[in-house]
Amino acid sequence: MTTLDAIEAPGEQRARRPIRPFHNIWPKIALTPMIATALVVFLGGTIWTVVYSFTSSGLLPRTDWVGFAQYQRLWSTPKWNIAIRNLAFFGVFSLSFTLVIGFTLAALLDRKIRGEAVFRTIFLYPFALSFIVTGLVWQWILNPEFGVQGIVRSMGWTSFNFDPLHNPDIVMLGILIAGLWQGTGLIMVIMLAGLRGIDEDIWKAARVDGIPTWKTYVVVIIPMMRPVFVTAIVLISSGIIKLYDLVVAQTSGGPGISSEVPATYVMTAMFGGQNLGQGFAASTMMLLFVAAILVPWALLEFGGRKRG
Amino acid sequence: MAEFSTNPATLGASRMDDGPRGPRPRRVLSSTNIMLYGTLIIVALYYLLPLYVMIVTSLKDMTEIRMGNVFSPPVEVTFQPWVKAWAEACTGVNCDGLSRGFWNSVRILIPSVLLSITIALISGYTLSKWKFKGSEIFFAILIVGAFIPYQVMLYPIVILLRDSGIGISNAINTVWLPVCETFGGECRRVRVQLFGSLSGLVIVHSIFGMPILTLLFRNYFASIPEELFKAARVDGAGFWGILFRIMLPMSLPILVVAIILQVTGIWNDFLFGVVYTRAEAYPMTVQLNNIVNSVQGIKEYNVNMAATLLTGLVPLTIYFVSGKLFVRGIAAGAVKG
Amino acid sequence: MTATLRIAEGHSPAPKSEVGHSVQVKDLDLQFGAVKVLNDLNLDIGEGEFLVLLGPSGCGKSTLLNCIAGLLEPTDGQIWIKGQNVTWKEPNERGIGMVFQSYALYPQMTVEGNLSFGLKNARMPKDEIRRRVARAAEILQIEPLLQRKPGALSGGQRQRVAIGRALVRDVDVFLFDEPLSNLDAKLRADLRVEIKRLHQQLRNTMIYVTHDQVEAMTLADRIAIMKGGVIMQLGTPDEIYNRPQSLYVADFIGSPSMNFITGHLEGGTFKAGGMSGGVVLPMEGYRFATPQVGDRPAVIGIRPEHVITGELVASAPVTHEVTVELVEPMGSDTLVWAQVAGERFRIRMDGQARVAPGDRLPIGIDPSRASLFDKKTEDRL
């Protein structure tokens, strides 16, 4: 014990605690894979792609700077503009329908229903499936000859037309139907958890006040569930931007290029068209879309908390 | 004061009068109930429809399909489409069915689930119980990273995998070749390939599973009382001792949730399978898409639906067996996913 | 701060055992960011002493205990245990055992597993482990529970096992972090007696954190009253109760709490109140902290149980008459609320006393049992 003599000389010097750099090294080693992933892949990879979106990279990445040329070309390409329009259509309808259907189903299940577990299981099972599986099933159900259109026609309405997957005008509707089928269950589960988290006494108070059930939902419950709705919206939105597998399975972007979305555009540019620069620019645009959703949300969520 | 005293007249009247008494009668078939259950049953039927369509289509033969529609039940049940989908369906030149994709998926799944959960478990444990300066910042970057579209990171990872594959090969060869040559014999350069191989895909799945799994474990371990951790330290257990002897035995529920999350997630993946493997190593989802959407030949809808159902069988089984745990997993994933 | 140091030097009795210090805390600082939780704290604990750290929540008492245990790293300062500087030592290397409020038993291990876990980590021979577990189980009377899991135990049984876990370590210093707070009142009283018996039997140094003054008064050899990361007073329960060194300690200790009357000290006499209901207390027999105390604004504190009532009033040094405002009968005794010099005044009377609001009640005060404080510094005069 080298410090033992310190007992003999009490008082005069303040007891000090030196710094130990190698103290507790295991936590740092254990966290290395995570730190490497966060810094190299997530942060580094993102910066790399953004930087290379300003080059003329074709088959291979090149550091030949061209400014915003890739972006100019991107926004003047019809395929990209269709992709953006499709994303906007799909986004608006997917978001609103998923919220409405998800909340309605949750509210119905919250009415102390018999067999709640059975209904919940049925509404959620599509979420367990791959988008490829979902896409292929709906491709078959929407088959013009044997599917919905064929059945309605065989019942006597021979002029009935509903062939979304082969009609450029309504192809996104076909994808929307499949997307809603797969995604609403998740939102229902989240909404149900939110409803269950609401104080039972609120319902009692509303009953004492004589407020009808539907009005209690609209005036009292939904405003109370604001955080749940925000979570749901963030979740649905980031899912919308990622939309890829479903399109590939149902239409492969067709007929023609009528059901292209940003993700499919990126993939063809990067791995099909040997046009890396376009791929980088398009994926950077996707990143911007996400940021446009996340930044306001983060400010609302975390910025507000500090003030309040 | 007098007005508040019990009035014998009213008291007597309420006793004698045969007014409402006991529980209020309720009609089982009230209009609200009919509306409620009616709506739920109709919606439930709509959600079950695709599953039904998959099953009936896969059990019909092609002539029957051409005569009927997607909803008509099979007159004569046949399992031939299932056999064909599993063992004979063609993708390009290969005609050995989905079985190849199934086994590829299994080979991808097992190491991916093990690796990703191990890393996330240790990271989550460290982040909750052994925080150090800056550890939270890296975690924040990781969580933000979970929202970045995969497309942004696809190509950098291609380069990362290719170059580290080359790097590892060179490192091994500089040691291995001289050693091998001193002992004579035929010495071949070792070639480690990460891009385009199963091991590369395993790494990719571990990377993209990391944010949600780490969050899951971090929150779980944070909910374990701090005093338990302190008691273990007083008892002389260190970083690994506390993890293996105290925390791990307590984390079975969250491990099951993580496994469910990863098995369904990795099994259902399509994008990474397409980008990071070659045709012979394609996972089941990619092969399914190739079988069904291949342009050559006549469309065999029954085989297609059998193949689709086969691919969906693994996650569906997990879903129906695990029930509540699956819901817990996706709810945990949903919070920040 | 200076007050604390003066008290520590001047008034605390020498540690019981002459063998030496058991635990020493030197110049301890702890900061979380900009918040100072412990401030230049010094504490000497004698061997075999039972020291209680008492204070309201957030006063830093648990933080100090965690620093002694090595579970929190101090920003500055040192911890010495048994003449060794253990500031950098891991908790298990410090020769301490610790009992937590929430028991902190390992849920997946049996009672025996819980007791032996620390010993196994120290790679102790199996026979020795078995011997020690058996001894601890015998002392705490938990032998029938050894093969059970913590989930199958009652609160009191769990806390015994938690104490047992400290016991098997055969250490010199026991640390208790509010060990009885999660138990109901009756069990708490039972286990309190058991801890006291255990200390008498083992003669270990024990440091005990609590916010319950009854626990503190009954268990402690010495009590350290803490507030805002600083020790306000360190002394025997008797000293703390009878000679509080500051207004804060006087107010904190005692239930119902002390009566305070603000007034003036003039020529050795305390005067308060105006024309009506004023009091004049000649401080004869009062032990002043310093020999010469000049005239100044002062606060006098009188414990409700030190107010004389009944026949003894006649022989009291000072007498007064109050009007009863409120009566709280509590069975064993009765608390009477009145006013003296315009301030609320509680009087503790025998449970059999018959008084009603509006009664005139003669009371007597003995200044030698009162406490006098400087109004400005709030220190004892």
Side-chain angles (χ1 to χ4, degrees):
Chain A
M1 269 286 16
T2 48
T3 44
L4 215 90
D5 51 352
I7 310 175
E8 263 64 58
E12 299 305 315
Q13 270 179 311
R14 255 187 78 83
R16 287 231 152 255
R17 198 189 68 86
I19 301 144
R20 291 170 294 172
F22 290 105
H23 176 59
N24 266 342
I25 196 77
W26 274 120
K28 284 146 202 161
I29 294 174
L31 220 52
T32 311
M34 192 205 87
I35 294 173
T37 305
L39 292 185
V40 178
V41 180
F42 287 176
L43 196 62
T46 305
I47 292 170
W48 190 95
T49 298
V50 173
V51 168
Y52 274 82
S53 72
F54 296 106
T55 67
S56 66
S57 304
L59 179 58
L60 290 172
R62 271 186 303 190
T63 48
D64 162 26
W65 308 104
V66 294
F68 284 91
Q70 294 285 9
Y71 291 91
Q72 273 167 357
R73 201 176 129 205
L74 184 70
W75 285 99
S76 58
T77 307
K79 192 165 141 187
W80 175 255
N81 284 299
I82 287 172
I84 293 296
R85 229 178 28 234
N86 284 340
L87 189 73
F89 172 89
F90 184 86
V92 168
F93 287 99
S94 174
L95 187 65
S96 42
F97 280 126
T98 310
L99 282 178
V100 170
I101 297 170
F103 181 82
T104 311
L105 289 181
L108 291 176
L109 286 187
D110 197 40
R111 301 273 80 208
K112 298 188 177 67
I113 288 287
R114 273 163 200 265
E116 185 206 310
V118 176
F119 283 115
R120 209 188 44 217
T121 309
I122 292 173
F123 296 152
L124 189 58
Y125 89 91
F127 187 75
L129 294 170
S130 164
F131 274 117
I132 300 294
V133 170
T134 302
L136 295 177
V137 180
W138 282 98
Q139 187 190 50
W140 173 229
I141 294 175
L142 297 175
N143 182 296
E145 244 179 291
F146 309 108
V148 176
Q149 178 181 287
I151 293 165
V152 176
R153 281 187 184 172
S154 70
M155 288 190 308
W157 186 358
T158 46
S159 63
F160 179 78
N161 265 325
F162 188 68
D163 184 11
L165 298 188
H166 300 97
N167 180 347
D169 297 333
I170 54 167
V171 64
M172 285 317 285
L173 189 62
I175 292 168
L176 183 68
I177 291 170
L180 288 177
W181 178 77
Q182 169 143 18
T184 38
L186 170 71
I187 300 304
M188 176 210 70
V189 167
I190 292 169
M191 296 284 184
L192 193 57
L195 285 171
R196 293 278 148 85
I198 281 172
D199 189 355
E200 196 70 9
D201 290 349
I202 295 283
W203 281 106
K204 290 180 189 161
R207 251 186 90 184
V208 171
D209 288 344
I211 304 169
T213 308
W214 68 267
K215 205 171 175 185
T216 311
Y217 274 120
V218 175
V219 180
V220 184
I221 305 295
I222 292 179
M224 282 179 81
M225 281 175 57
R226 200 195 72 100
V228 180
F229 272 89
V230 172
T231 308
I233 289 170
V234 169
L235 211 66
I236 300 168
S237 310
S238 62
I240 289 167
I241 293 167
K242 282 178 184 165
L243 176 69
Y244 172 71
D245 313 16
L246 199 58
V247 176
V248 170
Q250 275 190 291
T251 66
S252 312
I257 54 169
S258 57
S259 62
E260 287 282 346
V261 286
T264 56
Y265 185 92
V266 172
M267 294 299 285
T268 1
M270 266 191 209
F271 301 101
Q274 295 170 352
N275 199 344
L276 286 177
Q278 276 294 290
F280 297 149
S283 50
T284 305
M285 289 314 303
M286 288 175 72
L287 183 66
L288 285 180
F289 299 153
V290 172
I293 298 163
L294 279 189
V295 171
W297 169 70
L299 288 180
L300 219 73
E301 197 84 332
F302 305 108
R305 203 174 286 165
K306 266 181 197 146
R307 267 179 270 123
Chain B
M1 282 299 279
E3 283 164 80
F4 287 99
S5 64
T6 32
N7 185 336
T10 48
L11 207 85
S14 73
R15 270 207 199 118
M16 283 186 297
D17 186 14
D18 221 7
R21 199 160 199 204
R24 190 155 35 146
R26 276 182 202 284
R27 279 184 307 141
V28 180
L29 284 175
S30 69
S31 56
T32 354
N33 269 356
I34 294 173
M35 280 274 286
L36 199 62
Y37 284 97
T39 318
L40 280 173
I41 289 169
I42 290 170
V43 178
L45 287 177
Y46 174 78
Y47 274 82
L48 283 172
L49 200 69
L51 190 61
Y52 166 82
V53 167
M54 269 193 277
I55 295 169
V56 294
T57 308
S58 70
L59 297 174
K60 293 190 267 196
D61 67 21
M62 273 312 286
T63 37
E64 210 180 305
I65 287 175
R66 285 200 202 89
M67 276 155 53
N69 62 49
V70 289
F71 302 125
S72 54
V75 182
E76 228 176 292
V77 173
T78 168
F79 291 99
Q80 198 50 42
W82 285 71
V83 177
K84 194 164 180 195
W86 176 255
E88 296 160 28
C90 294
T91 49
V93 280
N94 291 321
C95 278
D96 44 10
L98 259 184
S99 55
R100 170 197 290 268
F102 175 83
W103 292 114
N104 281 340
S105 277
V106 172
R107 273 199 293 274
I108 293 163
L109 188 69
I110 291 169
S112 301
V113 170
L114 288 179
L115 185 67
S116 61
I117 288 182
T118 308
I119 295 175
L121 180 99
I122 294 171
S123 306
Y125 163 69
T126 312
L127 285 168
S128 66
K129 299 288 180 206
W130 297 86
K131 276 183 212 138
F132 54 87
K133 233 179 213 160
S135 62
E136 292 285 294
I137 297 168
F138 298 121
F139 179 64
I141 296 174
L142 192 78
I143 292 299
V144 171
F147 287 99
I148 299 172
Y150 298 138
Q151 279 77 9
V152 175
M153 289 168 287
L154 283 182
Y155 204 84
I157 292 178
V158 170
I159 296 175
L160 220 58
L161 287 178
R162 201 186 52 209
D163 289 358
S164 45
I166 294 168
I168 293 167
S169 309
N170 289 343
I172 293 174
N173 287 329
T174 46
V175 179
W176 163 245
L177 288 180
V179 172
C180 174
E181 273 156 21
T182 48
F183 290 99
E186 285 187 33
C187 294
R188 280 198 298 153
R189 288 184 67 85
V190 177
R191 194 156 159 262
V192 176
Q193 199 185 355
L194 291 180
F195 177 58
S197 70
L198 282 180
S199 47
L201 191 55
V202 169
I203 293 172
V204 170
H205 279 306
S206 301
I207 286 173
F208 286 104
M210 205 180 284
I212 175 60
L213 289 181
T214 306
L215 181 81
L216 197 72
F217 283 112
R218 172 180 165 272
N219 291 354
Y220 182 79
F221 287 131
S223 74
I224 291 177
E226 195 67 21
E227 290 193 340
L228 202 66
F229 172 73
K230 288 180 179 176
R233 281 190 66 194
V234 172
D235 273 341
F239 182 84
W240 298 108
I242 295 175
L243 174 60
F244 288 115
R245 310 276 286 281
I246 309 291
M247 298 295 173
L248 210 54
M250 293 176 73
S251 38
L252 189 67
I254 203 69
L255 268 178
V256 173
V257 168
I259 290 171
I260 292 169
L261 200 71
Q262 279 301 83
V263 170
T264 47
I266 294 172
W267 192 271
N268 288 340
D269 162 66
F270 175 78
L271 181 64
F272 301 139
V274 166
V275 175
Y276 297 108
T277 51
R278 309 240 151 106
E280 65 273 18
Y282 275 156
M284 201 170 186
T285 47
V286 179
Q287 214 190 359
L288 169 73
N289 187 54
N290 289 351
I291 288 174
V292 176
N293 283 328
S294 72
V295 272
Q296 325 124 305
I298 31 154
K299 290 243 175 201
E300 290 180 290
Y301 298 112
N302 52 356
V303 177
N304 288 351
M305 282 303 110
T308 309
L309 202 49
L310 271 172
T311 311
L313 225 45
V314 169
L316 275 185
T317 312
I318 290 172
Y319 173 69
F320 286 118
V321 170
S322 63
K324 274 231 157 95
L325 280 173
F326 181 92
V327 178
R328 229 184 108 190
I330 60 152
V335 180
K336 305 258 159 69
Chain C
M1 269 317 300
T2 49
T4 321
L5 285 172
R6 178 166 55 80
I7 291 152
E9 287 156 14
H11 294 275
S12 62
K16 271 191 172 177
S17 160
E18 290 305 306
V19 183
H21 308 290
S22 177
V23 177
Q24 289 169 288
V25 176
K26 298 182 178 179
D27 307 329
L28 199 71
D29 271 336
L30 184 74
Q31 273 172 277
F32 291 132
V35 186
K36 278 206 164 184
V37 185
L38 296 177
N39 203 346
D40 201 17
L41 204 134
N42 283 284
L43 189 61
D44 271 10
I45 300 161
E47 206 154 295
E49 188 178 3
F50 199 123
L51 182 99
V52 172
L53 299 172
L54 179 66
S57 57
C59 71
K61 57 189 194 298
S62 278
T63 311
L64 174 59
L65 197 74
N66 277 309
C67 282
I68 294 172
L71 294 165
L72 278 177
E73 293 216 349
T75 314
D76 207 343
Q78 294 178 336
I79 307 281
W80 293 66
I81 293 177
K82 284 241 136 195
Q84 282 203 334
N85 186 343
V86 295
T87 314
W88 282 8
K89 288 263 171 74
E90 283 296 303
N92 58 306
E93 299 164 346
R94 294 183 174 211
I96 52 139
M98 193 160 175
V99 180
F100 299 93
Q101 179 180 355
S102 67
Y103 324 125
L105 300 179
Y106 311 124
Q108 73 279 7
M109 298 180 192
T110 60
V111 168
E112 192 177 5
N114 267 282
L115 294 180
S116 56
F117 183 63
L119 306 181
K120 282 182 190 157
N121 275 317
R123 302 190 199 290
M124 191 171 280
K126 281 212 172 102
D127 291 350
E128 176 66 9
I129 295 179
R130 212 171 300 129
R131 202 182 58 73
R132 286 199 188 183
V133 170
R135 177 170 158 268
E138 194 200 324
I139 292 174
L140 296 165
Q141 293 160 1
I142 49 171
E143 289 127 317
L145 311 175
L146 281 178
Q147 296 313 317
R148 290 214 209 150
K149 292 266 175 79
L153 302 181
S154 71
Q157 289 170 330
R158 285 183 208 185
Q159 198 50 278
R160 272 165 211 265
V161 177
I163 294 171
R165 195 164 55 184
L167 211 60
V168 290
R169 294 175 62 79
D170 210 10
V171 287
D172 304 304
V173 182
F174 276 29
L175 307 176
F176 292 90
D177 192 359
E178 308 219 16
L180 306 182
S181 298
N182 277 9
L183 300 171
D184 63 51
K186 191 179 173 322
L187 213 55
R188 200 185 300 180
D190 292 350
L191 268 165
R192 198 174 69 211
V193 174
E194 251 180 83
I195 290 174
K196 181 135 191 161
R197 195 171 290 144
L198 199 70
H199 181 239
Q200 282 177 2
Q201 191 183 340
L202 301 172
R203 285 280 147 208
N204 296 44
T205 307
M206 295 192 174
I207 307 177
Y208 189 107
V209 165
T210 185
H211 63 263
D212 182 328
Q213 19 171 318
V214 180
E215 275 175 34
M217 297 297 276
T218 53
L219 289 171
D221 291 332
R222 282 194 301 165
I223 297 174
I225 306 236
M226 291 186 67
K227 180 200 178 191
V230 169
I231 294 176
M232 299 299 288
Q233 185 172 355
L234 178 69
T236 62
D238 179 60
E239 280 178 325
I240 299 261
Y241 178 77
N242 288 314
R243 294 182 60 80
Q245 293 301 319
S246 64
L247 207 58
Y248 176 80
V249 173
D251 192 31
F252 187 76
I253 287 288
S255 174
S257 54
M258 200 180 252
N259 296 302
F260 293 110
I261 302 166
T262 312
H264 268 84
L265 187 67
E266 282 172 33
T269 299
F270 177 82
K271 291 176 184 165
M275 301 289 138
S276 60
V279 281
V280 177
L281 286 167
M283 300 303 291
E284 281 158 31
Y286 179 79
R287 247 172 67 211
F288 280 98
T290 46
Q292 300 294 319
V293 176
D295 296 355
R296 67 186 75 192
V299 177
I300 195 163
I302 300 157
R303 296 210 177 272
E305 53 270 36
H306 292 166
V307 179
I308 303 158
T309 55
E311 289 131 39
L312 295 171
V313 174
S315 56
V318 181
T319 55
H320 195 74
E321 202 177 53
V322 294
T323 307
V324 175
E325 293 183 342
L326 196 78
V327 179
E328 288 184 286
M330 292 189 288
S332 61
D333 44 34
T334 299
L335 197 63
V336 172
W337 292 68
Q339 284 201 9
V340 171
E343 291 190 58
R344 286 233 169 108
F345 199 83
R346 281 153 301 222
I347 303 151
R348 194 176 205 165
M349 296 177 72
D350 186 59
Q352 305 307 314
R354 292 280 166 267
V355 281
D359 287 358
R360 298 289 290 172
L361 185 69
I363 55 167
I365 293 164
D366 180 359
S368 69
R369 301 188 75 180
S371 295
L372 202 59
F373 304 100
D374 188 315
K375 189 169 185 295
K376 215 162 72 205
T377 62
E378 302 198 344
D379 284 338
R380 189 183 182 88
L381 291 173

